[in-house]
Amino acid sequence: MFSFIKKGLDKTLGAIKEILPEKVEKIDKTLLEEILIESDIPYELVEEIIYYLPPSQTVARADVKRVLQSYFMYENTQKDTPTKPFVELVIGVNGAGKTTTIAKLAHIYKKENQSTLLGAADTFRAAAIEQLKSWAEKIDVGIVYTAQGHDPSAVAYDTISSALAKKIDHVIIDTAGRLHNQVNLSNELKKIVRICDKALLGAPHRKILILDGTQGSSAINQAKAFHEMISIDGIIITKLDGTAKGGSLFGIAKALQLPILYVGVGEGRDDLIAFNPTDYIDTILDSIFTPTNG
């Protein structure tokens, strides 16, 4: 697991090394503050982290870890469903890696010997439908789709209905990713949520927001807007390997008070890993502190 997290944080760790070429047993708070800001942790959060550290000017790894861990207290829970399928609605702006992430998620379920059916409910872009169809073929899972311009809620309903009939374990529904400040997008997403519940009471069981890791802390406002629309249940951070802004996950978790479910650390179908806060924090601290410091 560490190797995957390290791969995803490679550029962030490189930026830390430029500030701190040699690891230390204890770090000066001023230098730690510089590292945290460079990693794209919001400044007000950096101030808060420094405040909760011991009053001495230099601090040990254990003290830093204790404070950092407090920002990931939000549990990754799945609601119990009395019947299959477990329905997930995937939301995010265009370009965030939404469609690819859906495929990676389906691939994870397939490796766990669980069946999955995809729903191509981003009917506003023909390219989105074609991309999801292509991925469904690559990973050999079923897909429900229609022509561009058709009602996305109907696709969601048909996907769930088909999954019920076939006793499928998971349904993953793609949605349109136009700009989050458009009123029509908000209305559309709310309608899809209502129709999912009509197809299967309680669905969607999890609403997942995809955020582009290269946007860093600037993705927070985008996330808040989606959360206000339909109450997001969890987050997946994509393209973590393509940015030195690995610290932005602290700001996202703090601002939204939602669990980070997975992080994307590459382009391959296996490059989506379950987010483990301890591994994430330890990987960052390993680049700062000497091993003898525990």
Side-chain angles (χ1 to χ4, degrees):
M1 180 65 72
F2 268 123
S3 60
F4 279 106
I5 284 288
K6 196 166 184 179
K7 174 185 175 184
L9 290 173
D10 188 52
K11 291 188 177 181
T12 302
L13 301 180
I16 291 173
K17 192 167 185 177
E18 286 187 13
I19 298 171
L20 185 70
E22 298 293 332
K23 297 179 184 181
V24 295
E25 284 193 17
K26 288 190 173 185
I27 189 166
D28 185 277
K29 283 181 179 176
T30 304
L31 195 56
L32 177 62
E33 185 175 41
E34 185 181 348
I35 287 171
L36 297 178
I37 291 170
E38 185 65 28
S39 301
D40 205 42
I41 298 178
Y43 183 69
E44 63 275 11
L45 198 57
V46 172
E47 285 189 315
E48 186 176 287
I49 291 167
I50 299 298
Y51 175 81
Y52 283 112
L53 288 169
S56 57
Q57 186 58 32
T58 59
V59 288
R61 177 183 181 132
D63 295 317
V64 180
K65 183 173 181 178
R66 171 181 51 80
V67 176
L68 295 183
Q69 281 184 319
S70 68
Y71 293 97
F72 296 101
M73 304 300 288
Y74 312 106
E75 290 187 33
N76 172 9
T77 56
Q78 287 194 176
K79 301 172 188 174
D80 292 329
T81 54
T83 183
K84 295 177 181 179
F86 184 80
V87 180
E88 294 176 297
L89 194 66
V90 181
I91 300 107
V93 298
N94 293 339
K98 184 160 49 72
T99 309
T100 305
T101 300
I102 289 170
K104 291 177 181 179
L105 195 55
H107 182 61
I108 288 172
Y109 295 148
K110 187 175 181 182
K111 288 194 295 183
E112 295 171 348
N113 295 316
Q114 298 185 62
S115 53
T116 303
L117 184 62
L118 306 182
D122 183 357
T123 60
F124 286 87
R125 293 190 307 131
I129 299 170
E130 292 304 315
Q131 187 183 7
L132 199 63
K133 282 169 62 180
S134 175
W135 267 114
E137 290 177 11
K138 287 177 186 176
I139 59 176
D140 192 25
V141 298
I143 183 171
V144 173
Y145 62 92
T146 186
Q148 180 184 8
H150 283 204
D151 184 2
S153 297
V155 176
Y157 188 93
D158 290 346
T159 306
I160 295 171
S161 298
S162 177
L164 280 167
K166 297 174 182 176
K167 294 183 169 56
I168 298 289
D169 296 311
H170 290 269
V171 162
I172 309 175
I173 298 173
D174 190 14
T175 60
R178 292 167 305 167
L179 292 175
H180 59 273
N181 58 1
Q182 293 185 348
V183 174
N184 57 348
L185 176 59
S186 175
N187 292 337
E188 176 193 294
L189 290 174
K190 289 174 182 176
K191 181 181 176 183
I192 292 174
V193 170
R194 291 195 304 270
I195 295 301
C196 285
D197 184 62
K198 287 186 178 181
L200 175 62
L201 190 63
H205 305 107
R206 189 157 68 174
K207 300 183 286 290
I208 300 175
L209 176 64
I210 309 300
L211 290 178
D212 182 342
T214 63
Q215 292 188 3
S217 298
S218 65
I220 291 174
N221 288 337
Q222 180 189 117
K224 283 181 177 177
F226 277 111
H227 194 32
E228 288 171 6
M229 287 180 198
I230 57 169
S231 297
I232 301 300
D233 298 305
I235 303 161
I236 295 177
I237 309 291
T238 63
K239 310 177 189 177
L240 192 63
D241 59 310
T243 179
K245 299 178 178 180
S248 63
L249 274 62
F250 288 95
I252 290 167
K254 167 80 172 180
L256 300 177
Q257 299 186 11
L258 290 169
I260 296 172
L261 307 174
Y262 296 90
V263 291
V265 295
E267 295 298 319
R269 64 183 69 183
D270 291 305
D271 288 336
L272 185 70
I273 59 171
F275 179 68
N276 183 310
T278 301
D279 290 349
Y280 167 71
I281 291 168
D282 278 339
T283 301
I284 292 173
L285 296 182
D286 283 348
S287 70
I288 298 172
F289 295 97
T290 54
T292 52
N293 199 50

